[in-house]
Amino acid sequence: MSETAPPPADGRSAWASLRAREFPGARINLNAGTLGTPARSVRAAVRGFWAGGLRAWPIGQYQRGRAELRRVHALAGALWGPTPVAVTGGASEAMTRLSLALRARLAPGPLRVLTSGHEHAGGLRGFLRLPGCEVHHAPDDALADPTALAALVDALRPDVLLLSQITYTTGQVLPVSRHVAAARAVRPGLWAIVDAAQALGLVPPALAGADAVVASGHKWLFGPPGSGLVWLSERARVELAAGAAGEPLDPESPCAAFERAGGHDFSVHAGLAAALALHAALGPAAVLARSRARAAWFAAGLHARLCDRGIDHAFFDPTTGALGRDPPPAERLLGAVHVQFPALDPYPAYAALDAAGIHLKCIKDTRPTGARLALLRACLPCYESRGRLGRALDRIAAALAGAP
């Protein structure tokens, strides 16, 4: 069996084999939405890139880097279709480039952006810092309703629509392709950007109608830190490419102007190619089914433990974004569980768990829409076992109850 071959069957021993082969560490990383654990084959590919004295051979670095870059293009195409894709840094870096390119394209007038109240700073902050840029937030009740969002577009006349495919705050799955179609019906020239950072590796990127779909390779794909992908429409490839500096690594790439140029760490391309190969070998449908089942099992176990301890909590529903006392059913979950604590600050528990080798995401913030968030997010990777997760659940419940 090759290092990235899938387990022979979708059973308990098969997934245990995957964990032993690719993710053998003792730490329990349930913060894949920030930085997933790089698979062992990914780390091996990064190390192997430098074999043969490549660090002292500049031309060799460019040649091998170009080959790995083309391999990423091919693997991404096989997984998600023929839409041209740029191999970039992480989502925040790519969004910086896109925001500057759109500012230059639409100058000198004001740049109006319509977005949600749940966007990650890496996606939105570039626009917030641009001079002459106005950012408007759609109310939460419009996020599941393309007709309501289109009415906002008609009223505000934005230049850019920026939405997450899955929000990092509450895990809500937005109908972004329907939003884009409805918005373009009233404003045909609208630029549409989709942040798929929380989606890629679980579900396909929402490419339909988008000018740019931005995603990370180091989250649910378990690739190397600082890796990412950006799918670009023909309009974006033509009209946002001005000002690209340096000689592209792969001049034949349709998205060459959006990829890193000049000297950089080419081994990241090898690591990302290994991550995509592993994802393809495991099978995207099998990965989603496993992560979804793990999330449902984890949410039920957390709910039971918190109820036993009398800790007030509620779960965000990925379909509606609404809070509910009971955890969502498996068919609504996409690998992550978002738990809100109305009367409890979860940060001390989060910090204690982090020190103990159990890693979650804590989000404490007041959204632009006024909603207060005090939540923990757990991302359930396909390779985790119930035994390890059960131990983590016991520690999480104890930490939230204030136990040492």
Side-chain angles (χ1 to χ4, degrees), residues 115-118 138-150 152 163-165 167 170-180 182 317-322 332:
T115 187
S116 79
H118 298 273
D140 288 351
D141 58 9
L143 298 183
D145 184 353
T147 301
L149 193 83
L152 284 171
L163 293 173
S164 286
Q165 188 171 346
T167 66
T170 64
Q172 185 177 358
V173 182
L174 304 188
V176 286
S177 295
R178 292 169 55 209
H179 280 317
V180 171
D317 188 306
T319 302
T320 64
R332 293 190 179 183

Side-chain angles (χ1 to χ4, degrees), residues 33-34 116-121 124 140 143 164-174 195 197-198 219 314-318 321-323 336-341 361-369 371-379:
T34 297
S116 79
H118 298 273
E119 300 306 313
H120 189 273
L124 187 60
D140 288 351
L143 298 183
S164 286
Q165 188 171 346
I166 300 175
T167 66
Y168 95 101
T169 50
T170 64
Q172 185 177 358
V173 182
L174 304 188
D195 183 343
Q198 299 298 325
K219 293 183 172 31
F315 293 88
F316 282 102
D317 188 306
L323 283 167
V337 176
H338 295 70
V339 190
Q340 171 85 349
F341 297 94
K361 174 70 172 179
C362 180
I363 301 176
K364 289 176 58 181
D365 202 358
T366 299
R367 308 314 302 160
T369 53
R372 174 187 170 272
L373 296 179
L375 65 84
L376 292 178
R377 180 186 71 194
C379 298

Side-chain angles (χ1 to χ4, degrees), residues 96-124:
T96 297
R97 167 67 191 272
L98 280 171
S99 60
L100 291 171
L102 282 164
R103 172 69 282 180
R105 170 66 182 79
L106 298 171
L111 176 64
R112 291 183 296 276
V113 179
L114 177 61
T115 187
S116 79
H118 298 273
E119 300 306 313
H120 189 273
L124 187 60

Side-chain angles (χ1 to χ4, degrees), residues 7-346:
D10 187 9
R12 181 177 301 177
S13 60
W15 291 105
S17 171
L18 172 69
R19 198 187 85 78
R21 186 176 70 248
E22 291 284 1
F23 304 96
R27 292 180 180 271
I28 301 177
N29 183 9
L30 306 182
N31 193 7
T34 297
L35 280 174
T37 302
R40 178 182 277 176
S41 56
V42 168
R43 289 176 279 145
V46 171
R47 292 193 303 272
F49 178 88
W50 300 105
L54 216 63
R55 291 190 182 276
W57 182 19
I59 295 299
Q61 292 183 35
Y62 280 99
Q63 291 173 339
R64 192 173 296 175
R66 184 177 302 113
E68 293 294 344
L69 180 66
R70 288 173 174 170
R71 186 167 171 242
V72 173
H73 291 152
L75 287 163
L79 280 164
W80 299 298
T83 302
V85 65
V87 181
T88 66
S92 297
E93 179 182 316
M95 280 301 307
T96 297
R97 167 67 191 272
L98 280 171
S99 60
L100 291 171
L102 282 164
R103 172 69 282 180
R105 170 66 182 79
L106 298 171
L111 176 64
R112 291 183 296 276
V113 179
L114 177 61
T115 187
S116 79
H118 298 273
E119 300 306 313
H120 189 273
L124 187 60
R125 192 163 288 165
F127 286 112
L128 290 171
R129 289 173 171 168
L130 287 176
C133 184
E134 305 169 5
V135 175
H136 302 268
H137 297 92
D140 288 351
D141 58 9
L143 298 183
D145 184 353
T147 301
L149 193 83
L152 284 171
V153 170
D154 196 28
L156 294 170
R157 312 303 289 173
D159 304 292
V160 177
L161 177 65
L162 168 62
L163 293 173
S164 286
Q165 188 171 346
I166 300 175
T167 66
Y168 95 101
T169 50
T170 64
Q172 185 177 358
V173 182
L174 304 188
V176 286
S177 295
R178 292 169 55 209
H179 280 317
V180 171
R184 286 248 175 79
V186 297
R187 189 153 171 78
L190 185 75
W191 290 85
I193 301 175
V194 174
D195 183 343
Q198 299 298 325
L200 196 69
L202 292 173
V203 293
L207 302 178
D211 288 295
V213 177
V214 181
S216 297
H218 54 239
K219 293 183 172 31
W220 289 100
L221 286 172
F222 313 120
S227 62
L229 298 165
V230 180
W231 286 265
L232 295 156
S233 70
E234 182 177 4
R235 177 172 71 150
R237 297 194 305 272
V238 172
E239 298 186 25
L240 301 184
E247 183 178 347
L249 183 60
D250 181 11
E252 297 178 10
S253 168
C255 301
F258 294 85
E259 296 180 322
R260 286 174 168 170
H264 56 277
D265 185 356
F266 304 110
S267 69
V268 173
H269 302 321
L272 182 56
L276 296 181
L278 177 62
H279 187 67
L282 293 173
V287 169
L288 175 59
R290 173 76 172 185
S291 296
R292 175 174 272 161
R294 279 289 176 260
W297 182 86
F298 184 91
L302 182 60
H303 180 57
R305 287 167 173 81
L306 296 180
C307 287
D308 287 345
R309 293 177 178 267
I311 298 174
D312 190 17
H313 65 284
F315 293 88
F316 282 102
D317 188 306
T319 302
T320 64
L323 283 167
R325 174 66 171 168
D326 296 323
E331 61 269 19
R332 293 190 179 183
L333 291 169
L334 288 178
V337 176
H338 295 70
V339 190
Q340 171 85 349
F341 297 94
L344 175 71
D345 179 0

Side-chain angles (χ1 to χ4, degrees), residues 302 305-306 309 311 353 392-403:
L302 182 60
R305 287 167 173 81
L306 296 180
R309 293 177 178 267
I311 298 174
L353 291 162
L393 282 167
D394 290 338
R395 294 292 297 268
I396 292 168
L400 287 166

